[in-house]
Amino acid sequence: MNELNFVNQLSARGYSRRDFIKFCTVMAASMGLPLSAGEKIASAVESPTRPPVIWISGQGCTGCTESLLRTTHPTLEHLILDMISLDYNETLNAGAGHQAEKFMHDSIEKNSGKFVLVVEGSIPTKDGGIYCKVAGTPFVDIVKETAKKAAATIAIGSCASWGGIPSAEPNPTGAKGVKDVLPNATVMNIPGCPANPYNFTSAVAYFLTYNKLPELDSQARPKFAYSRLIHENCERRPHFDAGRFAEQFGDEGHRRGYCLYKLGCKGPVTYNNCSVLGFNDVGSWPVKTGHPCFGCSEEGVGFHIPQFVEANLQKESLFTPAATPANIEYQRGGNITATAAGLVGLAVGAAAGAGIVATRRLKSEEEAGNQ
Amino acid sequence: MTIKRREFLKATAAGGALMVTGTQSASASTAGEHIPPRAVGILYDSNLCIGCQACMTACKEANNMPPEHSGQRDTWDNPLDLSAKTLNVIKMYREGEDYAFIKRHCMHCLEPACVNACPVSALVKDRETGVVTYDASACIGCRYCQVACPYNVPKFEWDSPFPRIQKCQLCDHLYEEGRYSACCEVCPTGASLFGPVDKLKKEAERRLQMEPGKYYDFPVNHIEKGKTRRHEAKRYIPHIYGSEEVGGSQYMILSGTEFSKLGLPQLRDRSYVKDLEGIANTFYKYLIYPVAAFVGLAYLAKKRDHHE
Amino acid sequence: MSEAKPYGGRVLTIPFIVGLLVILVMFGFLVQRFLYGLGPVSGMNDGYPWGLWIAYDVNVGTAFACGGYAMAILIFIFNKFEYSPLLKPAILTSFLGYALAGFSIFFDIGRYWNMQNIFLPWHANVHSAMFEVALCIAAYCLVLLIETAPPFLQKFKLNNIEKKLNKVLFIFVALGMLLPTMHQSSLGSLMVLSGSKMSPLYWSQALPLFFLLAALLLGYTIVVFEATLSGVAFNNPSELNILKKLSAIIPWVVGIFLIIRLQDINARGALDAIFAGDLAGNFFILESLLLIAALALLIPAKNRADSRKVFWGAFCALLGAGLYRFNAYIIGFSPGNGWHYFPTTPEILITFGIIAIEILVFVWAVKRAPLMPFPGKKSQA
């Protein structure tokens, strides 16, 4: 039996091909692709000509890798990763040290122009990038060198996408995202802290199927996951629209699950699909547990704007009407200030006064004239 | 035999009722001035409206209008009424348990008072589509259009040193792209329906014939695109608002609640434009009277000169 | 008839300086209007887009300025040449009134830089009542300017120009009687269009006729009012006798006006609106009471021999007719839907400034130009 035969691998782990197709169909749907794309994805994943993936880590916490491991379509994920041939990942490598490095360099040479580079963690650039070195080489140089030979580069996590937590003020190491270090390369960002693993796997499956990256927005994030604000898909949105807010942790509103906007929720300024997809396969995400979103995936929001500063509502999402429309009629205009009323009175008085004075003099003049 | 007679009577009564309402709506469709050849408009059905206000958001987006904050917090776009920032507004009528929604914006009248009023032709009625449009480059800001409009539609930018008039223009800037009024594009129930005025009128009449409680197919978004949605018909006030009021308009309204309760003014059929045109024609047609008067007065003035 | 001559004397009196201060305040608020828009400075809103400036400065102001028009009709059509001495100051008041109404329009309209569009054929909408008003008022301002010129041409010793002008003056006199007939009635036509938003007491298809009658009435009464005041101020009782004759005409106009109005309201079945107790009804009663007071004061011939009763009678008619015109634009106009209006302090002060300009220029003209005959005074250079 050919160990690498996909169908055999599936059955060995107790999954029928039909289950696999179903999975690919769901993945297609989550990317906003037509259901028929599920078949295409399936055949792409099965195909033996899948490129290897080199996964390098910089100034990171490895949370994104851990996140990926927490996906509980268990064996299927491992299958996909296996079949993708994850040639190098510092967390998952069997070997270590020089042996691991050699394996990576060999794979890069052998698959030059065909492999997918995944970068996790931010890239320090200050002082020649000495604040993160792997095997003696500054990480910034590793990224530049490796990306040159890659077919595509994926930045997983906020750190790799735009600098993440190391880039918080005062950013002592000059931490930057991949796109800032590789201005001319084709980079796809999957921000998040950690990134939602399904955003990553879906994007990779898309790439395998269509041999190109999915549609990206102006910050190189896949639109299927990052085109809407958290606020647009939040389950507490009706509370926002109706003006029901939690004012403090533990208060009545908080217990009732009201909107967390006043507690500094950054949902209105953060693009991601956490509210839709959820994490850990139980659909949980911060707001659901009662903690306001802090915008971990959004550059300029996460780790930059303090938690309890209210989000500055922007135009696109936001200005939707409140839950209750306007009444048919309102009283407005016509405020009478005391000064204004006084002036009107003054005018009337002056005219009357002029008249009275005039007629008095008229009387005396006429009497003088008659004499 | 008895049964047959009863059935016959029932049928006659029903037919008679139909004829009465039928003639009512027929008369509604013959009212109104010259309707432009490709007149487009909107049919709004208050019975279908759920007050979701998607039309308001779509209008703001399509016309690049800013949000309007009437409450204490600036978290929503919640205008109280049409304004210089809001071209389309949903309002809610409430009385006890009773409620209904109404969508207010420019009526695009067949005899627009604003068009007659404007001294510089900043407001004009398109000859083909009948859309009443506004041209700020011509406008002098005299606000006569605001005085003239029976529906209080045109709004003014009071807080700007370079103020414009703002009103709905049926999204005519989108027609080129093959789109239509944004409010109708997003309406989920078909309450706001776009299309040629004659087709909308027929649809309105069809609805007035519907039996309350029965389910029918209602067109959604654009009456010619063929999409429909199944709804239960509710009781309608037997009148199409806008079919006759001050000469008729291209925005028509159906409702189960009395129109006056929804804030719609009760207007006569004859437009006030006709009254003014009558006066103008009587005194100024071809300037005959003014010229004759001038000649006579000049004679008298010259005579006085000699007398002096 | 004695010759017109300047009154002389000091122009910069205390009241004059107070007037200058009021004008200064006006300009301050006008700066605010041009920098920040109409909203911050006035109480006008989307329900009441026309406020004090249109309803008073333009609407009532031009009617007050119909002195010249009203007098010209008497003199030229009815050959009442004895009224001639009243003509020149009336024309000056007319010119000032119309010019200041034009100035008020300039700062009231929102997009003043497009003002010339009214006169451009490719923009002008000849069906618009506002177009007719604007064109007619502009033409009349020119006519008034020319008619006002003679005393000032004399003052500045431009006698040749004055002679040439006098030869063709009759054309302008004729225009000066035609144009106000047209635009004063059209000011009423303007409000015909908003019939659905007007009280039945103030809307009618005969609005142009009522506005014209009111303009005539205001023309006669303003002449009496202003001639009495200036006669007292400048120690010139000679004109008072002419005024007594003029006051005989006023009750006729008041009477015709009242009768036609009441019948018009009756014909539309709206008589009970008078006592409805609302704003429109109450102001109708006020304006009618003022007009009836004028009738009571001026109908008895004995009263018309008394300058005081003449003055008060004319004043009541002035207020009544002026109030009518104002009511037709503001009080009788109710857009519904919860809208209200009251002018703000800056709005009122700007109007005070306009009135101050009118009075101050008139006073300066009486003192410095040969405007009125002063029999007791010697001619001054």
Side-chain angles (χ1 to χ4, degrees), chain C residues 71-322:
Chain C
M71 297 312 294
I73 288 183
L74 271 183
I75 296 171
F76 294 99
I77 297 184
F78 296 103
N79 290 325
K80 305 266 188 226
F81 301 114
E82 62 268 37
Y83 294 118
S84 301
L86 294 173
L87 192 58
K88 275 188 195 159
I91 298 268
L92 176 61
T93 317
S94 293
F95 172 68
L96 283 174
Y98 272 87
L100 289 167
F103 180 53
S104 296
I105 290 176
F106 175 71
F107 63 72
D108 176 270
I109 60 176
R111 299 175 68 84
Y112 45 90
W113 59 92
N114 278 342
M115 211 166 161
Q116 70 281 353
N117 284 349
I118 295 194
F119 305 110
L120 300 175
W122 53 92
H123 274 307
N125 172 18
V126 299
H127 300 288
S128 163
M130 166 95 45
F131 168 73
E132 196 273 321
V133 168
L135 225 58
C136 220
I137 288 187
Y140 188 58
C141 281
L142 273 174
V143 166
L144 280 173
L145 183 63
I146 290 168
E147 283 188 333
T148 322
F152 297 97
L153 290 176
Q154 282 175 17
K155 173 184 168 49
F156 295 113
K157 304 244 179 29
L158 296 164
N159 294 322
N160 277 337
I161 302 178
E162 202 215 340
K163 279 211 190 83
K164 287 194 187 133
L165 189 55
N166 276 328
K167 283 215 181 97
V168 290
L169 206 58
F170 76 99
I171 295 179
F172 296 98
V173 170
L175 281 175
M177 288 187 279
L178 174 67
L179 294 174
T181 310
M182 290 170 65
H183 67 248
Q184 287 297 335
S185 56
S186 293
L187 280 171
S189 306
L190 281 183
M191 296 313 280
V192 171
L193 206 49
S194 49
S196 63
K197 298 196 282 191
M198 298 211 25
S199 156
L201 294 174
Y202 288 99
W203 185 85
S204 159
Q205 291 178 341
L207 266 169
L209 176 62
F210 296 140
F211 266 59
L212 188 58
L213 284 172
L216 268 176
L217 187 56
L218 283 164
Y220 293 128
T221 52
I222 197 78
V223 166
V224 173
F225 180 80
E226 161 225 301
T228 307
L229 285 184
S230 49
V232 165
F234 301 115
N235 291 319
N236 193 10
S238 64
E239 304 199 327
L240 297 175
N241 289 325
I242 313 176
L243 293 179
K244 288 172 189 168
K245 288 196 71 178
L246 185 58
S247 65
I249 300 168
I250 293 173
W252 284 100
V253 187
V254 172
I256 294 173
F257 179 77
L258 275 175
I259 291 173
I260 302 184
R261 270 214 83 207
L262 271 169
Q263 173 49 22
D264 173 77
I265 293 172
N266 182 33
R268 280 177 293 108
L271 278 177
D272 45 358
I274 299 177
F275 300 105
D278 62 350
L279 207 62
N282 294 342
F283 267 78
F284 177 86
I285 293 174
L286 177 61
E287 133 210 333
S288 304
L289 284 177
L290 283 165
L291 290 172
I292 292 170
L295 285 177
L297 280 167
L298 294 177
I299 287 181
K302 203 178 58 152
N303 289 358
R304 280 181 270 122
D306 181 351
S307 291
R308 281 171 303 153
K309 297 225 170 59
V310 164
F311 174 80
W312 282 111
F315 191 41
C316 284
L318 182 83
L319 286 180

Side-chain angles (χ1 to χ4, degrees), chain B residues 23-61:
Chain B
T23 39
Q24 266 190 353
S25 45
S27 73
S29 65
T30 54
E33 265 304 293
H34 156 74
I35 300 181
R38 293 188 293 122
V40 286
I42 293 179
L43 175 65
Y44 172 77
D45 191 333
S46 172
N47 278 345
L48 296 181
C49 181
I50 55 174
C52 72
Q53 303 171 86
C55 55
M56 286 173 64
T57 313
C59 173
K60 293 259 165 164
E61 222 175 349

